[in-house]
Amino acid sequence: MMKLLGILIWRDLSHAYGFGGSQGAKAGTRRGGFILPVIFFLAVAAIYPFAVGSDAQLLARTGGGVIWVAALLAAILPLDRLVQPDVEHGFFDQWAVRGLSEEWIMLAKIVAHWLSFGPPLMLATIIAAGLLGLDAAQLRTVEAGLALGTPGLAALGVMIAALTAGLKGGSALGGLMLLPLAVPMLIFGAGSVLPDGENGLLLLAAASLVLVAIAPFAAGAAIRALRE
Amino acid sequence: MHGFANPTRFLSIARPLTPILLWLGVALVAISFYMGLFTTPADRLMGETVRILYVHVPAAWLGMAGWTSIAIASIVELVWRHPLAAIAARASALPGAFFTTLCLITGAIWAKPTWGAWWVWDGRLTSMLVLFFLYLAYMALARESQAEAAAGRSGMSRIAAIFGIVGAVNIPIINRSVVWWNSQHQPPSITMGQSSIDPVFLWPMAIAVLGFSLIFGALVLMRMRTMLAEIRIEGRLRRKAMGASVS
């Protein structure tokens, strides 16, 4: 079982990071998909000062929240590539024939999506923190928050990608579905950056954990519903 | 419970029940509005504006009850594959969204004279706003997935049910997070209901809540009947088309 999960995670990761040779091209997914959300994330962080001015104090005070908003928006971008291509290529049916349940596949997908989404975003946050003038303590809190929150965002993303995989207007709908459900993580994540807001990290971890716990089951049920 | 899976049996109950619920609800709301507008006094602190309570509180209650009924119907749909549950869940969405909107609007109208601004990032208002967005997402998803289900992929109607349950799990978390956020950003001075509501206001409010709930039930039944009628029409047209192509 663990070996199968490892294979599944490796497959998705190699698609996302583009080191899978021609495999990714065969499956019809664009390779190197991890880079687009990161660029988008940095772009949002970079245009924010254009909107509110370059006052260093204002930027430092609001920067943590801006990074969280940017992370949420970046989480919407990969939604239509996460599950839909696999549904179209009968990927889930192949594994169902092998007797692996959809919940396990979805768990592997969540882990793989997190590994291709969380760490690059955390690296990019160092640059974004420089752009927004966060100090070292704030950067540490934001990074800790992202480490705790991105698994939840990845789980939410895979779940919503599975729910919208069979729909024509799925990608536009995905953002509308993701944002309200991500509100608790945004509040706790951005709240933890404020002065004496460290308790927010615990609540953020809890909110993230709830999503990680329910997402494989919701996404698995969605894939089974697609089949009928 | 599967006795009501037969649409004919369901309709035989729903058809007489709809006007009973509707007119009883309208009568109760009229009584509560009369009491609210003429027989109860103005509030000591909030003055005459307190009378919006008799619309605002039932609207807030039904906004949340709407999603609760979506969640219950969704569970029934997923667990027992009850055919009417899918219809009941989708039928509850629009009335729920309507009352959530009504709650937000009356809240804004009430906030202007009492708090001095149309919108305050109060915990209750904010979580109702998030609930409103969840309703929009649910309705869009239900419409899209129903279109796919009508095109022959019957399992697609369960997609909206999954989202309904996920939303129900998250609504309490969203509510708590907003309250926590609020206490961090501003002192929680703007909370109403700390002074317990006087019984003078409580009675008309309870009648209004009951009346609006009955109207809500009537609306859901009406929408369910409409959806069942549409399914019937489609089936009849399909049979007709098939009969025409055979002959």
Side-chain angles (χ1 to χ4, degrees), chain A residues 159 163 166-169 173 176-177 180-181 184 187-188 191 194 196-197 200 203 210-211 214 218 221-222 225-226 228, chain B residues 130 133-134 136-137 140-141 144-145 148 153-156 158-159 162-163 166 170 173-174 177-178 180-181 184-185:
Chain A
M159 178 169 76
L163 283 171
L167 306 174
K168 287 188 187 72
L173 198 53
L176 182 62
M177 291 162 67
L181 293 177
I187 288 176
F188 295 141
L194 297 173
D196 23 274
L203 292 165
V210 168
L211 287 174
I214 60 176
L226 286 179
E228 276 177 36
Chain B
V130 179
F133 285 125
L134 275 176
L136 293 187
L141 183 67
E144 294 280 327
S145 59
E148 293 286 324
R153 295 162 69 193
S154 61
M156 287 300 287
R158 293 212 296 277
I159 293 283
I162 298 167
F163 185 67
V166 169
N170 275 277
I173 302 173
I174 292 169
S177 71
V178 168
W180 185 84
W181 166 73
Q184 257 221 341
H185 282 250

Side-chain angles (χ1 to χ4, degrees), chain B residues 7 12 74 77 94 104 127 132 136 182 191 212 230:
Chain B
S12 71
S74 300
E77 182 190 355
L94 187 65
L104 286 171
S127 56
F132 174 68
L136 293 187
N182 202 40
T191 50
F212 274 113
E230 278 168 1

Side-chain angles (χ1 to χ4, degrees), chain A:
Chain A
M1 176 59 85
M2 283 300 129
K3 189 158 170 268
L4 283 182
L5 288 185
I7 292 170
L8 283 171
I9 294 171
W10 181 252
R11 168 190 177 271
D12 274 17
L13 267 185
S14 56
H15 282 185
Y17 283 111
F19 48 65
S22 59
Q23 240 185 343
K26 243 185 247 164
T29 48
R30 258 171 300 144
R31 287 188 292 139
F34 82 100
I35 197 77
L36 197 63
V38 172
I39 294 172
F40 184 73
F41 170 79
L42 281 176
V44 172
I47 59 162
Y48 176 69
F50 294 133
V52 300
S54 60
D55 174 25
Q57 262 184 332
L58 176 72
L59 285 183
R61 205 174 69 238
T62 55
V66 173
I67 286 177
W68 269 97
V69 169
L72 237 62
L73 295 178
I76 296 174
L77 276 196
L79 284 183
D80 55 342
R81 296 187 286 99
L82 281 176
V83 178
Q84 193 159 26
D86 287 340
V87 169
E88 282 167 5
H89 290 93
F91 171 78
F92 296 101
D93 303 330
Q94 293 283 336
W95 284 94
V97 170
R98 268 185 94 157
L100 192 62
S101 73
E102 287 79 4
E103 281 79 5
W104 282 110
I105 302 176
M106 282 306 172
L107 185 65
K109 274 205 166 298
I110 290 167
V111 173
H113 177 44
W114 176 65
L115 286 173
S116 67
F117 174 74
L121 211 63
M122 288 170 66
L123 281 178
T125 299
I126 300 173
I127 304 170
L131 288 172
L132 296 169
L134 300 187
D135 61 31
Q138 281 177 310
L139 177 61
R140 255 200 305 281
T141 321
V142 171
E143 291 285 12
L146 284 176
L148 294 169
T150 45
L153 275 183
L156 192 58
V158 169
M159 178 169 76
I160 284 167
L163 283 171
T164 55
L167 306 174
K168 287 188 187 72
S171 52
L173 198 53
L176 182 62
M177 291 162 67
L178 185 135
L179 286 179
L181 293 177
V183 162
M185 287 201 292
L186 175 68
I187 288 176
F188 295 141
S192 68
V193 188
L194 297 173
D196 23 274
E198 280 79 15
N199 287 337
L201 286 180
L202 297 175
L203 292 165
L204 171 66
S208 178
L209 197 59
V210 168
L211 287 174
V212 172
I214 60 176
F217 299 100
I223 295 299
R224 273 198 296 277
L226 286 179
R227 205 170 277 148
E228 276 177 36

Side-chain angles (χ1 to χ4, degrees), chain B residues 206-229:
Chain B
I207 295 171
V209 167
L210 186 63
F212 274 113
S213 302
L214 293 180
I215 292 175
F216 182 89
L219 287 176
V220 171
L221 283 181
M222 280 181 207
R223 284 177 55 76
M224 286 178 75
R225 283 168 59 187
T226 312
M227 287 173 183
L228 282 172

